[in-house]
């Protein structure tokens, strides 16, 4: 166990991120997935009543249903956060397995800054296609001096075809790079960071998590 802990800490220090495989059981993810499914039900019924779709695709699997629904209408969903402020999110944020990983990297004093996003990756949508960025470019320059760890939890299996994360190993050691916000709300660095280092795609299975430093360049 000690070797595994050391490996996790060493990789995070070296690369600015670490993937933890098979950390969350299906039972731990099911409450969030069920909550999303209920809201897809409500959303689909609303779109159908407005005449925007012909079918609610009620029998489609979790990982395909929203994509099928939006195949009949315009893709206009950057994030879907309001309903996720819930007891289900509260329990996931406080999950012991996740907190154990964070504690190894940040120590015992852990606080949640309240920032969360549910990103439905819909086929053909550019709204959830994020260029390479550092989270501190969004948070503000003052946050570059402290450690903020993001936890990315896929609710379906992800790869390069459906929107897995791509990260630049070691980029957290570059410091905070200047960036400006585009009209699409995305932050874009003042230089081509891919000339410094090549992004690495990170396919993940449902149950894996990835944690990364607020200065690590990532995108999807």
């Amino acid at each position: 166990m000690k070797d595994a802990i050391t490996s996790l800490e060493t990789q995070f220090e070296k690369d600015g991120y670490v993937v933890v495989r098979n950390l969350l059981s299906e039972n731990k993810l099911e409450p969030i997935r069920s909550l999303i499914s209920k809201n897809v039900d409500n959303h689909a019924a609303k779109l159908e009543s407005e005449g925007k779709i012909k079918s609610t695709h009620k029998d489609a699997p979790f990982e395909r249903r929203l994509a099928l629904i939006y195949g009949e209408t315009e893709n206009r969903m950057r994030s879907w956060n309001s309903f996720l402020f819930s007891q289900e999110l509260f329990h996931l944020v406080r999950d012991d397995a996740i907190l154990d990983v964070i504690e190894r990297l940040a120590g015992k004093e852990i606080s949640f800054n309240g920032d969360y996003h549910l990103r439905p990756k819909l086929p053909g949508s550019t709204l959830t296609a994020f260029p390479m960025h550092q989270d501190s470019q969004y948070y503000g320059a003052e946050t570059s001096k402290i450690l903020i760890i993001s936890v990315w939890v896929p609710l379906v299996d992800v790869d390069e075809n459906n929107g897995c994360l791509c990260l630049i190993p070691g980029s957290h050691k570059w410091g905070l790079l200047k960036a400006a916000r585009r009209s699409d709300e995305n932050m874009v660095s003042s230089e081509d960071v891919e000339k410094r280092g090549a992004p690495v795609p990170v396919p993940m299975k449902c149950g894996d998590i990835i944690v990364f430093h607020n200065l690590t360049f990532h995108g999807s």
Side-chain angles (χ1 to χ4, degrees):
M1 181 65 179
K2 184 177 179 181
D3 290 342
I5 293 171
T6 302
S7 176
L8 184 147
E9 294 172 340
T10 300
Q11 185 179 346
F12 188 81
E13 172 61 26
K14 174 177 173 286
D15 293 333
Y17 68 90
V18 63
V19 182
V20 185
R21 304 290 183 185
N22 301 312
L23 185 74
L24 301 174
S25 68
E26 185 175 331
N27 287 341
K28 287 185 176 181
L29 293 176
E30 184 54 33
I32 285 283
R33 286 167 59 101
S34 294
L35 179 65
I36 294 170
S37 292
K38 290 176 184 176
N39 279 272
V40 172
D41 278 337
N42 296 336
H43 188 57
K46 182 175 183 293
L47 291 174
E48 185 182 43
S49 69
E50 294 171 347
K52 294 180 179 178
I53 60 174
K54 295 179 180 179
S55 171
T56 63
H57 299 279
K58 187 173 181 62
D59 295 326
F62 176 84
E63 63 271 17
R64 293 286 300 156
R65 188 180 178 195
L66 199 61
L68 290 171
I69 290 168
Y70 269 83
E72 299 183 31
T73 185
E74 295 182 17
N75 296 338
R76 291 181 177 176
M77 190 178 290
R78 182 177 172 89
S79 63
W80 205 15
N81 287 358
S82 56
F83 74 86
L84 203 63
F85 190 73
S86 62
Q87 194 79 6
E88 289 84 352
L89 178 67
F90 176 78
H91 288 306
L92 183 62
V93 168
R94 297 179 72 252
D95 182 81
D96 286 341
I98 293 177
L99 291 178
D100 284 347
V101 171
I102 302 302
E103 184 180 329
R104 306 300 181 194
L105 304 175
K108 293 181 179 295
E109 294 297 323
I110 302 168
S111 62
F112 174 47
N113 69 0
D115 191 23
Y116 66 93
H117 297 280
L118 176 63
R119 302 288 195 197
K121 293 285 188 176
L122 297 170
S125 175
T126 60
L127 293 178
T128 53
F130 292 90
M132 284 288 140
H133 66 278
Q134 299 168 302
D135 282 343
S136 278
Q137 291 175 333
Y138 288 89
Y139 294 150
E142 64 278 4
T143 66
S144 66
K145 305 299 182 183
I146 60 177
L147 175 61
I148 303 173
I149 296 176
S150 291
V151 183
W152 202 82
V153 182
L155 298 175
V156 299
D157 294 350
V158 294
D159 57 26
E160 291 173 86
N161 293 316
N162 68 342
C164 71
L165 275 186
C166 298
L167 304 96
I168 303 181
S171 55
H172 63 304
K173 298 178 181 179
W174 299 348
L176 180 65
L177 273 60
K178 292 182 179 180
R181 193 180 294 270
R182 296 190 314 203
S183 59
D184 63 4
E185 298 300 318
N186 290 329
M187 298 293 288
V188 178
S189 297
S190 57
E191 64 175 274
D192 183 358
V193 297
E194 294 186 32
K195 290 182 177 179
R196 290 198 186 201
V200 175
V202 183
M204 298 170 66
K205 297 290 187 181
C206 194
D208 299 343
I209 72 166
I210 186 169
V211 295
F212 53 93
H213 194 287
N214 46 303
L215 294 181
T216 301
F217 272 95
H218 62 285
S220 61

